[in-house]
Amino acid sequence: MQANETHVERRDLELVVTRLVDAPVALVFKAWTTPELFRRWWVPASFGIAILGFEMEARTGGTYRFEMHHAASGQTMTFFGRYLEVTPDARIVWTNEESAAGPLTTASFEPRGDQTLVTVRDLYPSQAAIEEAIASGSTGGWSEQLAQLEQLLGEGAAV
């Protein structure tokens, strides 16, 4: 399988991430909405972070919450929010409510034959919020995350 490149672009208050994933849209969407699959690819392996607790109800009006522990710093972080829209095999929109600076995230999935174009848009509430996210490195894991997703799907994990 040929490795696909992840593109990350900043557009004013928005961070836009795209990658062509070598898997059909139904499998990609399933990996984004099935807790057992999602937790296997979401955290970049190189970050040294373990998921301690995880809850996901991926439906319009549903919620998510996960707690992660960073071994090197000893820090535990909790992330949570609501799903504003879940359209099967097409789009997921969710809030990031752990801070006032959290973005509104939209992930869209476009079929491209046996592949899927994944586009993730993080819309931040202010210039300061996007600057802080970029400076903290919290936006830097997308390439690794999406590569992990593709690897998981290539192993037939979502079939």
Side-chain angles (χ1 to χ4, degrees), residues 4-19:
N4 292 316
E5 189 175 330
T6 301
H7 299 276
V8 180
E9 179 184 354
R10 180 178 172 180
R11 298 180 189 163
D12 193 29
L13 298 179
E14 189 173 51
L15 190 67
V16 181
V17 179
T18 57
R19 183 182 177 106

Side-chain angles (χ1 to χ4, degrees), residues 9-10 13-15 38 58 73 96 106 108 115 117 127 136:
E9 179 184 354
R10 180 178 172 180
L13 298 179
E14 189 173 51
L15 190 67
F38 186 86
S73 71
N96 294 274
T106 301
S108 61
Q115 297 177 310
L117 178 62
Q127 198 71 23
S136 73

Side-chain angles (χ1 to χ4, degrees), residues 20-21 23-25 89-90 108-113 115-119:
L20 189 62
V21 174
V25 71
D89 300 341
S108 61
F109 311 93
E110 298 175 40
R112 299 282 171 96
Q115 297 177 310
T116 302
L117 178 62
V118 175
T119 303

Side-chain angles (χ1 to χ4, degrees), residues 34-36 38-39 42 51-56 65-67:
T34 305
E36 300 77 33
F38 186 86
R39 70 182 300 152
W42 182 251
I51 296 177
L52 302 177
F54 185 82
E55 299 170 17
M56 169 193 264
R65 180 180 186 84
F66 51 97
E67 186 176 7

Side-chain angles (χ1 to χ4, degrees), residues 23-32 37 89 116 149 153 156-159:
V25 71
L27 292 182
V28 174
F29 187 82
K30 183 177 181 181
W32 280 74
L37 297 173
D89 300 341
T116 302
L149 167 66
L153 296 175
V159 180

Side-chain angles (χ1 to χ4, degrees), residues 95-131:
T95 62
N96 294 274
E97 298 176 8
E98 59 276 355
S99 95
L104 176 67
T105 303
T106 301
S108 61
F109 311 93
E110 298 175 40
R112 299 282 171 96
D114 288 339
Q115 297 177 310
T116 302
L117 178 62
V118 175
T119 303
V120 179
R121 297 175 176 276
D122 278 339
L123 179 60
Y124 288 85
S126 67
Q127 198 71 23
I130 193 170
E131 294 292 340

